[in-house]
Amino acid sequence: MKEIKVNLGERSYPVLVGANCLDNVAKYYPESAKRVAIVTQKQIGVAIPSGKNHKVFDIGTGENSKSIETVIELCRAWVDWGLTRSDIVIGLGGGMVTDVAAFAASIYHRGLNVINIPTTLLGMVDAAIGGKTGVNLPEGKNLIGTFWQPKAVICDTDTLHSLPDREWKCGYGEVAKYHFLGADDMREFGLINTVLECIKVKTNIVAEDERETGKRAVLNYGHTLAHALEFENDFTLAHGEAVAVGIRYAAEVAFLMGRIGEERVTYHEEILAHYGLQMKLGKSINLERVTSLFLRDKKSQDGITFVLDGENGVEPVLVHDQDILEKALEVVQ
Ligand code: GLY
């Protein structure tokens, strides 16, 4: 088992990575905790080692359950059970579960401790780390949320064994992203080292810019188009699949803006292909709809901000030329 620390002063916390590391969970329960509320989904099927007074709270599946209604139901069930601020919540599942559980924990009784136990590759390399929590609104993804750092993140790679193929691809969509954010070339790495390398990059970025006032935005590489495509396709497109298309798109925008050359575009394609990811959506994209969704994206402040590759690496760039954004969509349809 390896441990990586997220350095955030008194809110620092460990990320454990390895086979069978779930057994360590009770070490991170606060002394004061009498109850452990485990938020999960029926199909996850991972058991938390017994100890304190545990209760399981199942939530629905799919992006439609990632809603404020789910959060309210959870909080009401916690009140019923008598959960207090000195107790602890565990988010056990994929990114959707840890986002919802940690959001509910962050507002329940003005905030109680949470431990994230991601059971998907995507959760381990991204969603469960860094304290972003949130739910969707009918108007778009992740539009309500908080920054609420967990007490620990436990990435037990044994929980990945039954991960469906599509979920692996989703995780690899995020893994591919780290190739452009300073990670070592992970193409020859095994699973645990890949997870560790991604987490190293992510934790350094979070430690530098916890609240996304600057640098942290690079973690959204490929995500602006991805969020729009997920929303436009009623979430039938999985997040990691959308991110892969979004990364190829971001490379094209950077190319058309003269920020990168053809070789670098080819490198993007090689990385995505290495992880078996599709770079095209396979159907036409409603240009007007998608560009209006870009504007609604929470990263847009003054025009359309895109995270783009270039001479200085990947960085947020304000794009004024809508024609480039539309033209680049052609390569990913
Ligand atoms: N998933 C992007 C971030 O944590 O900032």
Side-chain angles (χ1 to χ4, degrees), residues 126-127 129-130 132 174 177 202 206 212 216-217 219-220 223:
D126 194 33
I129 298 166
K132 274 192 184 176
E174 295 291 344
K177 166 184 94 175
K202 173 139 193 186
V206 169
E212 200 171 310
R216 184 166 178 166
L219 290 167
N220 297 320
H223 283 57

Side-chain angles (χ1 to χ4, degrees), residues 214-332:
K215 172 88 184 168
R216 184 166 178 166
V218 301
L219 290 167
N220 297 320
Y221 192 45
H223 283 57
T224 305
L225 178 65
H227 285 161
L229 292 179
E230 282 175 86
F231 190 68
E232 186 60 11
N233 288 278
D234 258 343
F235 300 111
T236 50
L237 194 66
H239 179 65
E241 292 171 335
V243 168
V245 175
I247 290 174
R248 176 62 188 86
Y249 174 70
E252 192 66 18
V253 173
F255 175 69
L256 293 175
M257 289 175 73
R259 294 177 56 85
I260 60 172
E262 259 172 50
E263 259 176 42
R264 187 71 176 164
V265 175
T266 306
Y267 178 67
H268 277 76
E269 291 184 336
E270 281 167 8
I271 293 295
L272 294 167
H274 173 80
Y275 293 112
L277 298 164
Q278 298 288 337
M279 294 163 232
K280 287 180 186 280
L281 189 61
K283 60 179 184 185
S284 65
I285 296 173
N286 182 334
L287 302 186
E288 223 171 277
R289 265 295 284 153
V290 164
T291 38
S292 79
L293 284 167
F294 288 166
L295 281 167
R296 196 189 285 169
D297 193 279
K298 61 192 178 306
K299 290 176 290 300
S300 305
Q301 278 167 354
D302 183 18
I304 304 185
T305 304
F306 263 86
V307 181
L308 295 175
D309 201 6
E311 238 175 29
N312 307 319
V314 166
E315 60 187 353
V317 178
L318 201 57
V319 181
H320 299 288
D321 188 344
Q322 189 141 336
D323 286 350
I324 286 186
L325 296 178
E326 290 192 5
K327 187 162 175 27
L329 284 171
E330 286 165 18
V331 300
V332 294

Side-chain angles (χ1 to χ4, degrees), residues 126-163:
D126 194 33
I129 298 166
K132 274 192 184 176
T133 82
V135 294
N136 304 330
L137 283 179
E139 286 76 13
K141 251 182 87 94
N142 296 333
L143 291 179
I144 321 180
T146 53
F147 285 99
W148 189 247
Q149 299 295 342
K151 283 290 146 197
V153 180
I154 299 179
C155 302
D156 187 331
T157 50
D158 283 349
T159 64
L160 296 175
H161 289 155
S162 54
L163 205 62

Side-chain angles (χ1 to χ4, degrees), residues 72-249:
I72 291 168
E73 275 166 31
L74 261 181
C75 290
R76 293 185 66 183
W78 289 347
V79 174
D80 245 20
W81 190 43
L83 194 73
T84 72
R85 208 163 155 199
S86 47
D87 293 326
I88 183 121
V89 169
I90 291 181
L92 172 68
M96 181 260 184
V97 173
T98 53
D99 275 10
V100 169
F103 179 45
S106 75
I107 56 173
Y108 183 78
H109 286 205
R110 299 196 174 79
L112 82 162
N113 289 324
V114 64
I115 295 173
N116 285 338
I117 305 182
T119 59
T120 61
L121 180 60
L122 188 147
M124 291 183 187
V125 299
D126 194 33
I129 298 166
K132 274 192 184 176
T133 82
V135 294
N136 304 330
L137 283 179
E139 286 76 13
K141 251 182 87 94
N142 296 333
L143 291 179
I144 321 180
T146 53
F147 285 99
W148 189 247
Q149 299 295 342
K151 283 290 146 197
V153 180
I154 299 179
C155 302
D156 187 331
T157 50
D158 283 349
T159 64
L160 296 175
H161 289 155
S162 54
L163 205 62
D165 240 28
R166 195 165 179 207
E167 283 292 336
W168 279 108
K169 287 255 170 75
C170 282
Y172 281 120
E174 295 291 344
V175 170
K177 166 184 94 175
Y178 289 103
H179 279 263
F180 306 97
L181 306 183
D184 286 344
D185 189 341
M186 298 173 280
R187 282 178 286 183
E188 301 303 320
F189 286 13
L191 176 65
I192 293 185
N193 284 334
T194 298
V195 172
L196 281 167
E197 182 65 19
C198 295
I199 292 174
K200 255 187 242 159
V201 175
K202 173 139 193 186
T203 54
N204 284 336
I205 292 172
V206 169
E208 202 181 306
D209 177 26
E210 181 186 6
R211 299 228 157 195
E212 200 171 310
T213 52
K215 172 88 184 168
R216 184 166 178 166
V218 301
L219 290 167
N220 297 320
Y221 192 45
H223 283 57
T224 305
L225 178 65
H227 285 161
L229 292 179
E230 282 175 86
F231 190 68
E232 186 60 11
N233 288 278
D234 258 343
F235 300 111
T236 50
L237 194 66
H239 179 65
E241 292 171 335
V243 168
V245 175
I247 290 174
R248 176 62 188 86
Y249 174 70

